[in-house]
Amino acid sequence: MKINSRTLYLIFGIALMILVLGGSGTELGAKDKSQQVGPNDPTVRLYSLLDSKYNGILEDYCVLAGLVDDSKNPGQKQQNVLRIEYKKDRAFGKLRIYLRSVAQLSPAQMKTYSPKQIYDFAETDSAKFTKTDPGPFGRPGDVYFEPASDGGALAPVNVTPEVQAHYERLLTEFLLPSLEKGAAGGNTQ
């Protein structure tokens, strides 16, 4: 039986294609780029809470977020206040956290004003976190903003270990406890 050159090229081409595509021992198709994140990750816990208790949407939720040293006035403190937005269906930036600061509040002011009123009083954001997927802050789809200059507009900056720690602290110490308390009491602010 004689094999013509056309058939020989076809057989050789098929064999080469099998070696190139199938010979690597891996499946064809897209690789799973998402890294597995544990259930104790603060963002996983936050997203789960917001999806189950807040129907996957949270708009204009404000919470006080502790005192910090005032960099402009040594020895004085500032009150941080956060505004949170979350939309489960957003492809980018599902979670947005805006940070503002005001002078330390008196006990009477703390009773008189709501976190939303305090946030509005501050007028300008001092930082913004945009988070897309669960996991440590700084993954693809995460952006951190700070003022480019004193009193200037927010601009994206590199995510450092300090920024990552700050993000995690805001979630674990302030956002999650406040939202869990609100969900338990039926208050979605």
Side-chain angles (χ1 to χ4, degrees):
M1 182 165 167
K2 202 173 191 184
I3 300 176
N4 67 20
S5 62
R6 185 176 278 189
T7 307
L8 187 59
Y9 284 120
L10 184 61
I11 292 171
F12 178 73
I14 291 172
L16 183 61
M17 187 169 53
I18 290 172
L19 284 173
V20 171
L21 297 177
S24 65
T26 61
E27 290 183 42
L28 295 178
K31 291 183 180 179
D32 181 19
K33 294 181 183 177
S34 65
Q35 299 171 359
Q36 296 298 326
V37 180
N40 289 329
D41 173 72
T43 308
V44 169
R45 293 177 30 223
L46 179 64
Y47 283 11
S48 178
L49 175 68
L50 292 172
D51 291 345
S52 65
K53 303 292 184 187
Y54 293 85
N55 299 319
I57 297 175
L58 187 68
E59 295 179 345
D60 224 18
Y61 186 90
C62 294
V63 63
L64 297 179
L67 295 172
V68 294
D69 292 327
D70 185 345
S71 60
K72 295 179 186 174
N73 301 307
Q76 293 184 0
K77 300 279 187 184
Q78 287 190 316
Q79 175 68 57
N80 280 340
V81 60
L82 305 173
R83 181 171 62 93
I84 301 94
E85 297 175 351
Y86 175 78
K87 290 190 181 173
K88 176 182 178 177
D89 297 332
R90 275 191 197 134
F92 174 77
K94 292 179 184 190
L95 176 67
R96 296 176 185 162
I97 302 170
Y98 302 86
L99 174 72
R100 291 185 180 178
S101 299
V102 295
Q104 185 173 2
L105 302 169
S106 70
Q109 289 171 318
M110 297 281 277
K111 290 179 183 176
T112 304
Y113 300 108
S114 71
K116 172 72 172 129
Q117 290 170 318
I118 296 167
Y119 180 85
D120 290 340
F121 181 74
E123 293 184 1
T124 59
D125 296 324
S126 56
K128 177 184 172 186
F129 298 85
T130 299
K131 184 85 175 118
T132 300
D133 294 319
F137 192 79
R139 297 176 71 171
D142 299 345
V143 185
Y144 177 66
F145 299 87
E146 282 185 347
S149 61
D150 190 30
L154 294 180
V157 296
N158 290 332
V159 176
T160 63
E162 291 80 18
V163 169
Q164 291 173 322
H166 189 214
Y167 168 82
E168 191 166 317
R169 181 175 170 259
L170 293 176
L171 263 60
T172 57
E173 291 184 26
F174 304 107
L175 293 179
L176 281 165
S178 175
L179 291 165
E180 287 167 346
K181 181 180 175 183
N187 176 17
T188 59
Q189 196 171 7

